[in-house]
Amino acid sequence: MTSLLLGLGTASAQATPPGALTLRFLDVGQGDAVLITSPEGKSLLYDGGRSAARMATLLTQYSVKSLDLVAASHGDADHITGLVTAVQRFKPKYFLNNGLAPTTQIWQQLVGAVQAAGTQGLLAKAQVINLGSVKVTVLPPPPGMPKTEQNLNSIGLLVEYGSFRALMTGDSETAETTGWLRQAPASVFGPIDVYKSIHHGAKNGDNSRWLAAVRPTNVVIGVGPNNYGHPTAEALTLYKKAGAAIYRTDLNGTVTVTVQPGGQYTLTTEKGTGVKGTGAAVTSPAQPPAPPSSPVRYANCAAVRAAGKAPLLRGQPGYSTALDRDGDGRACE
């Protein structure tokens, strides 16, 4: 297994609690994006959601000043669109990917942005990335996955800091997780403190054998308004049977995990609370619920634009999900 060291310089590093690792499971609507910042301020963005505008807002909201590495779990639009903005803004040193180029315009845009930024492509293989003092183990797709299936060639990341462990595996399906279990004992994959749900809680994502290995204490589902039925009742039942606390970005907003050097961690949400499981979750109280909805109402986006209020952001007077057609938190874009 090879090792990649991302240096410890902090000249342009973003603020993070002293000595703490921060993971933010970003609220990007129906999609995935995880921002990982080491105690030294080195940052990795794993996936970027399907809205470039939403990603730009989040990068500003969380005072991101640099990115050392961006990673696409696979090439689907709901995972890579926001990476275009991230690459253009921060020109990261590396772009981790599975080496399978989808024939889509958004992939071509991402490749163009990577080339223009001078970012080095990094093909996923069994390796460790040292994000400052944080160990990130890359889980490349196991042998035998059909090259025509992006989901089955998702890249996984195992993040470790002290005794803390987080795991995210894109939109991998049963064939891929079974392949990983053939390659390594279950102890390699679990127990996991914070686990990103596979494929937004789809029926063809997580399965009982995989979760028996992962043994998650907390599950975070990256999800927004959708026509797929995500998260499915089947997936939610699996997480409950595993004894995990369940958090959803559509209900809880961005979910932030702050990890101290020894591995002790707290989990906070922008709004609401997760569904508690029977596992020994280490969580802090959620932040106060969102304020009551505003009495301001707009009949349609034409009215919003006429009032000079476009785009309306989630939480602003007059915002409603009916006006936010793509569920990215920005209405009437």
Side-chain angles (χ1 to χ4, degrees):
M1 180 176 290
T2 60
S3 179
L4 174 68
L5 175 65
L6 295 180
L8 304 184
T10 58
S12 59
Q14 42 266 27
T16 190
L21 161 68
T22 301
L23 299 93
R24 298 189 193 276
F25 294 81
L26 299 171
D27 177 12
V28 291
Q30 178 65 14
D32 273 347
V34 186
L35 176 64
I36 304 168
T37 305
S38 78
E40 299 81 15
K42 309 305 290 183
S43 283
L44 183 165
L45 179 62
Y46 176 79
D47 288 340
R50 67 167 63 251
S51 169
R54 177 62 178 157
M55 178 53 63
T57 297
L58 289 164
L59 292 171
T60 299
Q61 178 180 342
Y62 291 111
S63 302
V64 178
K65 296 180 176 61
S66 66
L67 285 173
D68 298 278
L69 183 150
V70 296
S73 64
H74 62 300
D76 287 353
D78 58 330
H79 292 254
I80 66 170
T81 303
L83 292 181
V84 177
T85 296
V87 169
Q88 290 172 336
R89 181 178 294 191
F90 297 114
K91 298 177 174 54
K93 187 171 183 179
Y94 297 106
F95 168 46
L96 180 69
N97 64 93
N98 63 9
L100 302 180
T103 56
T104 60
Q105 289 186 353
I106 192 60
W107 177 260
Q108 294 305 317
Q109 290 178 30
L110 178 55
V111 170
V114 166
Q115 292 174 342
T119 297
Q120 178 181 335
L122 192 64
L123 182 64
K125 59 183 179 180
Q127 65 185 129
V128 170
I129 297 172
N130 294 304
L131 190 70
S133 55
V134 178
K135 178 182 177 183
V136 180
T137 301
V138 177
L139 303 178
M145 296 298 103
K147 299 305 181 184
T148 55
E149 296 289 339
Q150 283 286 339
N151 285 0
L152 291 175
N153 286 275
S154 290
I155 299 168
L157 294 183
L158 174 63
V159 180
E160 297 175 276
Y161 184 54
S163 63
F164 173 84
R165 305 175 90 229
L167 179 64
M168 49 214 77
T169 64
D171 284 358
S172 54
E173 299 176 9
T174 299
E176 185 170 22
T177 56
T178 299
W180 278 325
L181 289 174
R182 287 197 197 102
Q183 289 183 309
S187 59
V188 169
F189 305 102
I192 293 297
D193 297 297
V194 181
Y195 174 64
K196 189 201 73 67
S197 167
I198 292 179
H199 202 178
H200 325 291
K203 187 183 298 186
N204 62 352
D206 281 299
N207 59 82
S208 56
R209 185 182 175 211
W210 175 246
L211 286 177
V214 172
R215 291 176 284 159
T217 297
N218 300 281
V219 173
V220 181
I221 307 173
V223 67
N226 66 88
N227 297 320
Y228 310 113
H230 298 165
T232 63
E234 290 88 346
L236 293 173
T237 297
L238 282 172
Y239 305 144
K240 290 174 183 176
K241 285 184 177 179
I246 303 169
Y247 298 86
R248 298 169 44 164
T249 57
D250 61 338
L251 301 180
N252 303 125
T254 292
V255 177
T256 299
V257 184
T258 305
V259 189
Q260 301 303 322
Q264 300 84 1
Y265 65 97
T266 56
L267 187 153
T268 57
T269 64
E270 284 188 305
K271 56 188 177 182
T273 59
V275 177
K276 297 297 187 289
T278 57
V282 184
T283 59
S284 66
Q287 296 180 11
S293 58
S294 165
V296 176
R297 295 287 185 272
Y298 294 105
N300 49 43
C301 284
V304 175
R305 295 187 182 99
K309 300 297 184 181
L312 274 175
L313 304 183
R314 183 183 286 117
Q316 290 183 335
Y319 171 89
S320 73
T321 55
L323 299 174
D324 187 0
R325 299 181 65 180
D326 60 1
D328 68 349
R330 293 169 61 90
C332 304
E333 298 176 70

